[in-house]
């Protein structure tokens, strides 16, 4: 019988788990706190640790569990969906995190998956053992895509692995790099960010590797490069896809041998630097077209983090906007403005080609124009308003086209009915209208219901009656 230890579990959590596993041979061990003696005596296969209002106390419990038994998976249960908590628990080696109110299917799958892992593999990743206090990151995200990224940050941060962050411009790649650093074992050591696209190639080499006095015109003194400065720390290279072939070759040497050579010197200098790189380019395509070294790509692409664009996580826009407005209000010495429902709809409907950077600029403008009160649609940039007007025009045009097609089909059915003279002309026309539009939409019930102007429930009943689909 598998034994599951419930720590600090609420009554609602216990009831849900009982209902999920009532037919399974699972023994529940319910405790308020864990200690090494009880863990050794009870030897659970899995721990479910619910974090209450005092998350830091719960994290101490997690640290104790990780130290006590390295192969014991711990699933965290919490109402806190913040990136900070997700990264923190994953860094300490949690198996995964479930958010309350618990989703039955997700909880069932994850707990069974963890038990299966114990049953078959008996090998889980160990997180960092030293505590790290919470920190404030400008990252927000409750969508599954962002939660997956926060989990991955927590898992890879304690390692020394090179990380490649990819995504469109403005999605927040540097914020992710800083989060990795601040949760890493190198926290407290030097951290620097270099935008490779913003520095001319003739100067970038000196910035990264340093130079000796007299190495070139203007080199009046010896200069330490970023790699030397970040020794034992972390260096973030943004827009690494813009590096020249010469700089790529030198960067490869650093990753292979941990050595740099200053310009004008022949003496190699050993450095221990964790590399985090980012790009908005498709490096696989760059490699295929011989613009980026294949060997360097594989050296950088040890752990890959792909950040989705803002248009693919629109459910996060409201929370991101409020976080941005708080930051803007502090900078402008004003109260954080609220956002009207109409303005929020515009923000969520816009495609955001510039991603979070564009959203921040738009909200900064709106906050200033609203004088720190409420942001209304007229406070937003014309690009957002224009996009909404275009979408409305497109929807109107599409609706008119659909209405025209529907009218034409109706006229055709009337003509057919007059020729065939069915006993129930109106019933025959209705049935044929539904059948033909259903076929035209590829049997998409939602689209068919919209075109017919009826509810999906009503459509489904008619489809069943017509024998076009099977009844429940």
């Amino acid at each position: 019988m598998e034994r599951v230890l419930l720590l600090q579990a609420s009554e609602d959590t216990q009831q849900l788990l009982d209902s999920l596993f009532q037919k399974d041979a699972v023994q529940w061990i319910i405790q308020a706190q864990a200690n090494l003696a009880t863990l050794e005596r009870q030897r659970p296969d899995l721990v479910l640790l619910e974090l209450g209002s005092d998350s830091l106390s719960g994290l101490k419990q997690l640290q104790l569990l990780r130290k006590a038994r390295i192969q014991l998976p711990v699933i965290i249960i919490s109402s806190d969906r913040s990136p900070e908590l997700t990264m923190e628990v994953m860094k300490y080696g949690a198996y995964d995190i479930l958010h309350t109110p618990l989703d039955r299917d997700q909880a069932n799958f994850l707990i069974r998956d963890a038990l299966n892992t114990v049953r078959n593999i008996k090998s889980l990743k160990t997180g960092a053992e030293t505590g790290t206090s919470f920190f404030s990151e400008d990252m927000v995200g409750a969508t599954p895509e962002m939660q997956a990224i926060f989990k991955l940050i927590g898992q890879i941060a304690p390692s020394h692995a090179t990380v490649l962050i990819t995504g469109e411009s403005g999605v927040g790649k540097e914020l992710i790099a800083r989060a990795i650093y601040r949760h890493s074992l190198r926290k407290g050591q030097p951290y620097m960010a270099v935008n490779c696209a913003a520095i001319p190639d003739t100067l970038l080499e000196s910035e990264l590797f340093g130079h000796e006095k007299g190495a070139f015109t203007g080199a009046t003194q010896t200069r330490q490069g970023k790699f030397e400065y970040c020794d034992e720390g972390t260096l973030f290279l943004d827009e690494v896809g813009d590096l020249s072939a010469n700089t790529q070759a030198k960067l490869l040497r650093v990753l292979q041998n941990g050595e740099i050579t200053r310009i004008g010197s022949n003496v190699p200098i050993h450095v221990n630097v964790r590399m985090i790189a980012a790009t908005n380019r498709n490096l696989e395509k760059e490699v295929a077209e011989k613009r980026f070294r294949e060997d360097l790509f594989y050296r950088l692409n040890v752990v890959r983090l792909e950040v989705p664009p803002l248009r693919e996580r629109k459910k996060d826009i409201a929370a991101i906007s409020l976080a941005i407005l708080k930051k803007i209000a502090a900078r402008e010495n004003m109260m954080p403005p609220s956002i009207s429902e109409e303005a929020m709809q515009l923000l969520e409907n816009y495609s955001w080609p510039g991603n979070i950077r564009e959203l921040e600029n738009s909200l900064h403008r709106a906050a200033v124009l609203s004088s720190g009160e409420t942001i209304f649609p007229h406070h937003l940039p014309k690009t957002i308003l224009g996009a909404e007007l275009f979408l409305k025009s497109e929807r109107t045009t599409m609706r008119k086209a659909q209405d025209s097609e529907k009218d034409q089909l109706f006229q055709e059915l009337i003509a057919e009915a007059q020729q065939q003279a069915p006993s129930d002309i109106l019933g025959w026309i209705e049935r044929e209208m539904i059948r033909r539009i259903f076929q035209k939409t590829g049997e998409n019930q939602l689209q068919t219901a919209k075109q017919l102007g009826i509810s999906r429930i009503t459509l489904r009943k008619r489809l069943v009656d017509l024998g076009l689909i099977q009844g429940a």
Side-chain angles (χ1 to χ4, degrees), residues 156-290:
I156 65 177
S159 75
H160 300 289
T162 303
V163 181
L164 178 62
I165 307 171
T166 58
E168 294 179 6
S169 178
V171 293
K173 296 189 288 293
E174 184 169 354
L175 287 177
I176 289 176
R178 287 182 180 276
I180 294 171
Y181 162 70
R182 296 189 68 171
H183 280 271
S184 74
L185 302 179
R186 296 174 185 250
K187 179 184 177 181
Q189 298 299 325
Y191 170 91
M192 294 199 77
V194 179
N195 189 329
C196 300
I199 304 174
D201 188 58
T202 53
L203 298 178
L204 182 60
E205 189 175 340
S206 175
E207 284 288 318
L208 294 177
F209 309 113
H211 62 256
E212 296 290 339
K213 180 179 180 180
F216 50 83
T217 303
T220 57
Q221 59 184 8
T222 297
R223 182 181 179 185
Q224 189 181 59
K226 297 295 191 291
F227 274 102
E228 282 185 80
Y229 177 82
C230 290
D231 191 25
E232 303 298 331
T234 304
L235 181 62
F236 172 56
L237 294 184
D238 198 5
E239 305 302 349
V240 73
D242 292 67
L243 290 174
S244 68
N246 183 52
T247 308
Q248 287 180 39
K250 294 195 173 185
L251 181 60
L252 178 64
R253 178 178 176 82
V254 180
L255 291 170
Q256 286 178 329
N257 305 323
E259 291 181 348
I260 59 108
T261 304
R262 293 176 184 166
I263 299 175
S265 171
N266 293 320
V267 180
I269 300 172
H270 180 77
V271 291
N272 179 10
V273 177
R274 186 190 194 168
M275 178 83 68
I276 303 176
T279 182
N280 59 12
R281 295 180 182 241
N282 183 333
L283 286 190
E284 285 89 348
K285 182 179 178 182
E286 296 292 304
V287 168
E289 296 178 0
K290 307 298 183 184

Side-chain angles (χ1 to χ4, degrees), residues 184-418:
S184 74
L185 302 179
R186 296 174 185 250
K187 179 184 177 181
Q189 298 299 325
Y191 170 91
M192 294 199 77
V194 179
N195 189 329
C196 300
I199 304 174
D201 188 58
T202 53
L203 298 178
L204 182 60
E205 189 175 340
S206 175
E207 284 288 318
L208 294 177
F209 309 113
H211 62 256
E212 296 290 339
K213 180 179 180 180
F216 50 83
T217 303
T220 57
Q221 59 184 8
T222 297
R223 182 181 179 185
Q224 189 181 59
K226 297 295 191 291
F227 274 102
E228 282 185 80
Y229 177 82
C230 290
D231 191 25
E232 303 298 331
T234 304
L235 181 62
F236 172 56
L237 294 184
D238 198 5
E239 305 302 349
V240 73
D242 292 67
L243 290 174
S244 68
N246 183 52
T247 308
Q248 287 180 39
K250 294 195 173 185
L251 181 60
L252 178 64
R253 178 178 176 82
V254 180
L255 291 170
Q256 286 178 329
N257 305 323
E259 291 181 348
I260 59 108
T261 304
R262 293 176 184 166
I263 299 175
S265 171
N266 293 320
V267 180
I269 300 172
H270 180 77
V271 291
N272 179 10
V273 177
R274 186 190 194 168
M275 178 83 68
I276 303 176
T279 182
N280 59 12
R281 295 180 182 241
N282 183 333
L283 286 190
E284 285 89 348
K285 182 179 178 182
E286 296 292 304
V287 168
E289 296 178 0
K290 307 298 183 184
R291 289 192 295 268
F292 199 86
R293 294 182 64 117
E294 184 176 17
D295 46 6
L296 176 58
F297 169 70
Y298 289 120
R299 288 284 182 178
L300 293 174
N301 194 37
V302 177
V303 178
R304 182 81 161 262
L305 265 170
E306 297 187 22
V307 188
L310 191 55
R311 62 181 172 274
E312 292 182 7
R313 48 189 178 105
K314 291 191 174 185
K315 290 183 180 179
D316 285 336
I317 288 178
I320 294 173
S321 298
L322 293 176
I324 289 174
L325 286 174
K326 286 182 181 178
K327 184 172 67 173
I328 291 171
R331 189 189 313 156
E332 297 289 347
N333 194 26
M334 63 168 66
M335 290 293 293
S338 60
I339 306 175
S340 70
E341 185 177 344
E342 296 82 1
M344 183 57 73
Q345 287 179 352
L346 290 173
L347 295 177
E348 292 179 340
N349 289 335
Y350 185 55
S351 62
W352 299 110
N355 291 292
I356 297 175
R357 187 180 294 120
E358 183 184 4
L359 174 61
E360 183 168 4
N361 291 339
S362 300
L363 289 174
H364 196 168
R365 174 189 190 275
V368 172
L369 294 179
S370 68
S371 301
E373 295 182 357
T374 301
I375 294 174
F376 292 103
H378 65 272
H379 294 133
L380 299 174
K382 291 182 179 179
T383 51
I384 298 175
L385 297 175
E388 179 64 15
L389 290 174
F390 175 77
L391 287 174
K392 285 182 178 179
S393 174
E394 286 286 290
R395 287 194 288 265
T396 300
T397 301
M398 185 178 298
R399 187 164 55 250
K400 286 181 178 179
Q402 289 176 349
D403 289 344
S404 176
E405 290 178 6
K406 191 166 59 175
D407 290 342
Q408 183 179 351
L409 175 60
F410 186 67
Q411 294 299 326
E412 291 174 358
L413 290 175
I414 290 176
E416 288 184 35
Q418 289 173 343

